[in-house]
């Protein structure tokens, strides 16, 4: 695969300060497909300086001009969507149709939404005898994971650019080629030099250097809760802003009045998509005791249908981790009704679509984020019991509620401690705020709420 051997800093590809590299592996066949530079503190420093130097001019650009650049970026993402999908498939392992529809498709919607928001957002308002300005926070250090490699970059960078911020991106080490393609797209879109910069590298080296850098005003991180806590502590100590998009263990609550077959079918598909590597996946399916056995049979059937259509997990470490969780589920007494810990193929980091029945709320597989194609069916006795189970984890990122009518589902959803709930299979909305309650994070992404994260207010009194 095509790869740059430098960093994109100040509008050009520049050699890295050191000679270390990261091997990019195709998780479907375990072959090395490219090498990218593993940047260090020196590269991060050069990128932050470029971002800081570009900040005053970009921050002062008229919102309409920023909107035009983001619209141009969206157009490049459209023009290069096939290349993007092939690249995501090569380094993440997602099946090509999923890469085309989701990994290449969703970023186009999100970039388009920020082109419109940059043009229409009220960056200035009158409050009594004051004028309140929404001004850019400054230089953003963006640290992204591998599971939705382009979406997570665009959700941060398009919002930051719309706000008038400049950015240094440190993408995940497993998916740097998608990030390099994005940097090419930014360049092609005519975004001025220094406004967006890319440093590839390891999390504890380049990522940490970025989070700690004095020249960064806001750290926007998506990834594991463990790393998020460290980044939050570092940012807090420096009185720096921080946005954290962390893990989840979301509940799919099926109320007795719901269309059970539909709720179970959509619920299983929601977990299996992207091989279960979705932070907002509904990995706990909550079913009333009277419908439990039927739901188990439906879920097992739906998972079996997935069979070969599921892609591999991203790397050997995740492969071992997810299979370890499945073994733990068995050891703690849950009943396997589909899949299991055995690797279904000799090559590649594949895990079979797995369904557990007889899962109780305190089991490890019902509490911790597995990040693999594993769904747990938990029984509840009544609505209060369902709510207690749904809210009974440290996370609160997403969820789903199914009922005979929307009003009944909404009443339940309003009692859930979670940031986003799909009602009776609600559709993705790129303008809806996305983010967590409790340990799922701090801050919101997408839409105007996502834009506001990159703004700070100044009030002038008259
Ligand atoms: P991670 O948190 O280690 O990595 C996410 C990003 O943070 C990467 O860019 C990484 O390089 C960077 N990073 C790592 N250590 C850092 C540090 N000390 N300072 C600054 N940046 C650092 O996640 P992972 O190891 O790729 O995945 C582990 C688990 O995290 C998964 O099993 C899953 O549970 C969870 N996860 C969640 C999400 C999500 O969207 N919420 C995404 C990926 C992974």
């Amino acid at each position: 695969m095509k790869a740059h051997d430098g960093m994109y800093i100040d509008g050009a590809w520049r050699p890295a300060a050191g000679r270390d590299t990261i091997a990019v592996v195709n998780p479907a066949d375990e072959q090395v497909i490219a090498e990218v530079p593993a940047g260090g503190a020196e590269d991060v420093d050069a990128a932050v300086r470029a971002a800081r130097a570009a900040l005053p001019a970009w921050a002062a650009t008229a919102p309409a001009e920023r909107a035009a650049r983001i619209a141009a970026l969206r157009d490049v993402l459209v023009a290069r969507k096939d290349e993007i999908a092939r690249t995501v498939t090569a380094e993440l392992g997602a099946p090509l149709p999923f890469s085309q529809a989701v990994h290449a498709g969703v970023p186009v919607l999100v970039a388009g939404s920020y082109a419109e928001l940059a043009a229409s957002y009220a960056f200035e308002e009158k409050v009594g005898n004051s004028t309140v300005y929404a001004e850019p926070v400054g230089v953003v250090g963006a640290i992204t994971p591998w599971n939705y490699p382009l979406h997570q970059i665009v959700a941060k960078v398009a919002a930051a650019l719309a706000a008038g911020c400049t950015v240094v991106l440190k993408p995940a080490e497993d998916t740097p080629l998608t990030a390099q393609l994005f940097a090419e797209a930014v360049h092609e879109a005519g975004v001025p030099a220094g406004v967006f910069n890319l440093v590839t590298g390891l999390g504890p080296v380049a990522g940490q250097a970025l989070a700690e850098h004095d020249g960064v005003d806001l750290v926007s991180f998506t990834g594991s809760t463990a790393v998020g806590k460290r980044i939050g502590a570092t940012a807090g100590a420096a009185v720096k802003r921080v946005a954290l998009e962390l893990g989840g263990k979301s509940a799919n609550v099926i109320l007795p009045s719901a269309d059970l077959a539909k709720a179970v079918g959509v619920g299983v598909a929601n977990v299996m998509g992207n091989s279960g590597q979705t932070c907002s996946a509904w990995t706990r399916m909550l079913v009333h005791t009277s419908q439990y056995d039927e739901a188990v049979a439906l879920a097992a059937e739906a998972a079996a249908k997935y069979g070969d259509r599921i892609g591999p997990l991203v790397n050997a470490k995740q492969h071992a981790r997810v299979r370890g969780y499945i073994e733990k589920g068995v050891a703690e007494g849950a009943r396997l009704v589909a899949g299991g810990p055995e690797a279904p193929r000799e090559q590649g980091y594949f895990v079979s679509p797995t369904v557990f029945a007889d899962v109780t709320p305190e089991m490890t597989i019902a509490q911790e984020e597995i990040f693999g194609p594993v769904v747990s069916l938990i029984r509840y006795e009544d609505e209060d019991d369902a709510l207690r189970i749904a809210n009974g984890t440290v996370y609160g990122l997403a969820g789903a509620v199914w009922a005979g009518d929307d009003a009944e589902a909404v009443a339940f959803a309003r009692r859930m401690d979670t940031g986003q709930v799909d009602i009776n299979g609600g559709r993705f909305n790129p303008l809806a705020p996305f983010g967590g309650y409790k340990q799922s994070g701090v801050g919101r992404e997408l839409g105007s709420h996502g834009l506001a994260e990159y703004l700070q207010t100044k009030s002038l009194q008259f």
Side-chain angles (χ1 to χ4, degrees), residues 100-149:
Q100 285 163 331
V102 177
H103 290 299
V106 172
V108 169
L109 295 178
V110 173
S113 74
Y114 278 113
E116 280 173 28
L117 271 166
S120 61
Y121 193 80
F123 288 99
E124 187 184 325
E125 62 168 338
K126 294 262 185 269
V127 180
N129 60 313
S130 303
T131 302
V132 180
Y133 295 92
E135 299 187 339
V137 162
V139 173
V140 174
I143 301 175
T144 55
W146 41 264
N147 56 331
Y148 287 86

Side-chain angles (χ1 to χ4, degrees), residues 144 146-147 170 173 203 207-208 221 224 246 279 318 321 369:
T144 55
W146 41 264
N147 56 331
K170 204 304 283 176
E173 34 280 71
Q208 195 162 326
F221 169 83
S224 63
L246 309 177
C279 45
Q318 289 298 106
R321 186 181 140 101
E369 186 173 49

